[in-house]
Amino acid sequence: MRIAFISDIHGNAIALEAVLENINKKQVDKVLVLGDIAYRGPEPKRSIELIQKLYTTVIKGNADEWIVRGVQEGEVPNKVLELMNKERNWTVSQLAQTDIDYLANLPTELAFEEEGISFHAFHATPNSLFDVVLPNTADDKIEETMMTDKTADIYLYGHIHKPYIRYINGKTIINLGSVGLPFDGQAKASYAIVDINDGSVSTSIERVAYDFEKTIAKYKEVNYPNTDMMESIIRKGSL
């Protein structure tokens, strides 16, 4: 069984198409989506449509919640609150009410078992869409914050856009990175694969090159309200 986990597309449908093509080449059995589908990218509606065509389990991210009800004070620095809501309002203007309802009704976590291996997946933490757990967080803090389901063998999340794999007391924790907005200095889409074979497990972070110049051109074409900053992030793969 080979499972691909993707997240943090952020309206970058061009990157998402490249990742889905890469997943197809790797003969993956299942694709699961850990949130942040549409907000902050130039093609929010097409990104949602591509995800819906997977006919798979999708959970909600903080950016999906922002589309539904706006960015609230205290969730981002005050100096960017107005701008981020301007971006949110632009995103909503590109969507139908059915798209917004789809995001509103997504679950917030996913627990399942495959071939005797238990998984617990969520966007940021099991109890929050917004909390930040970085790659260098201490083991005991990760256990306390992320490994609340003691029955799981593998924990997966998105949100921070910085992929990593760690092993803590016999458990595996994976951050998928980001399909559409990587923050780790590589201008390549990121996702994770878990392989299960006769009780053995292997994990990997996959990096996929895509034509980010096309994404930048799309931001300009649609008059996205924060194009300059988004172009810089896309081009550098970092904030």
Side-chain angles (χ1 to χ4, degrees):
M1 170 65 72
R2 175 171 286 180
I3 309 171
F5 295 85
I6 67 174
S7 73
D8 297 273
I9 295 113
H10 288 285
N12 189 344
I14 292 166
L16 177 57
E17 284 178 322
V19 164
L20 295 178
E21 182 179 354
N22 187 266
I23 286 171
N24 186 55
K25 288 178 180 177
K26 292 182 182 296
Q27 299 182 321
V28 165
D29 299 297
K30 182 185 294 187
V31 183
L32 299 172
V33 185
L34 305 192
D36 281 9
I37 301 169
Y39 173 63
R40 299 211 96 174
E43 296 186 274
K45 187 170 183 65
R46 193 159 79 90
S47 296
I48 291 172
E49 289 170 349
L50 286 168
I51 292 299
Q52 289 174 326
K53 287 176 183 177
L54 296 174
Y55 299 102
T56 192
T57 301
V58 182
I59 64 175
K60 184 188 290 185
N62 63 296
D64 305 312
E65 181 70 5
W66 280 340
I67 287 176
V68 173
R69 49 82 161 163
V71 186
Q72 296 179 359
E73 189 173 349
E75 293 174 344
V76 298
N78 285 336
K79 64 182 179 180
V80 299
L81 180 61
E82 182 179 355
L83 174 60
M84 291 188 69
N85 270 312
K86 186 176 181 181
E87 292 180 70
R88 177 262 177 185
N89 293 340
W90 179 89
T91 302
V92 168
S93 76
Q94 306 300 302
L95 302 177
Q97 186 60 46
T98 52
D99 300 317
I100 298 168
D101 292 342
Y102 168 75
L103 298 177
N105 292 320
L106 293 175
T108 57
E109 62 182 332
L110 170 64
F112 68 101
E113 183 175 310
E114 285 287 353
E115 299 183 17
I117 305 299
S118 296
F119 294 80
H120 190 198
F122 35 86
H123 181 70
T125 76
N127 299 313
S128 172
L129 296 177
F130 299 93
D131 289 347
V132 173
V133 178
L134 295 172
N136 60 352
T137 300
D139 285 2
D140 59 349
K141 183 65 174 177
I142 286 184
E143 284 190 280
E144 176 188 342
T145 306
M146 311 296 273
M147 299 179 172
T148 54
D149 180 357
K150 302 301 183 184
T151 65
D153 302 299
I154 301 176
Y155 305 83
L156 304 104
Y157 73 112
H159 191 50
I160 62 172
H161 300 211
K162 294 184 176 184
Y164 72 89
I165 300 173
R166 281 173 65 176
Y167 307 96
I168 301 174
N169 292 332
K171 309 277 189 171
T172 304
I173 184 157
I174 303 172
N175 187 275
L176 318 183
S178 172
V179 169
L181 284 176
F183 289 170
D184 65 341
Q186 287 195 55
K188 295 180 180 179
S190 175
Y191 74 99
I193 285 180
V194 177
D195 271 304
I196 308 170
N197 186 11
D198 292 330
S200 297
V201 178
S202 63
T203 59
S204 63
I205 300 294
E206 307 293 324
R207 302 308 294 253
V208 181
Y210 74 98
D211 192 343
F212 59 79
E213 295 292 354
K214 281 188 177 180
T215 297
I216 292 168
K218 183 62 71 171
Y219 275 107
K220 295 176 180 178
E221 176 187 325
V222 300
N223 293 316
Y224 190 79
N226 192 16
T227 292
D228 289 346
M229 190 186 85
M230 301 313 296
E231 176 179 353
S232 176
I233 295 172
I234 292 285
R235 196 180 297 281
K236 295 188 298 183
S238 65
L239 288 169

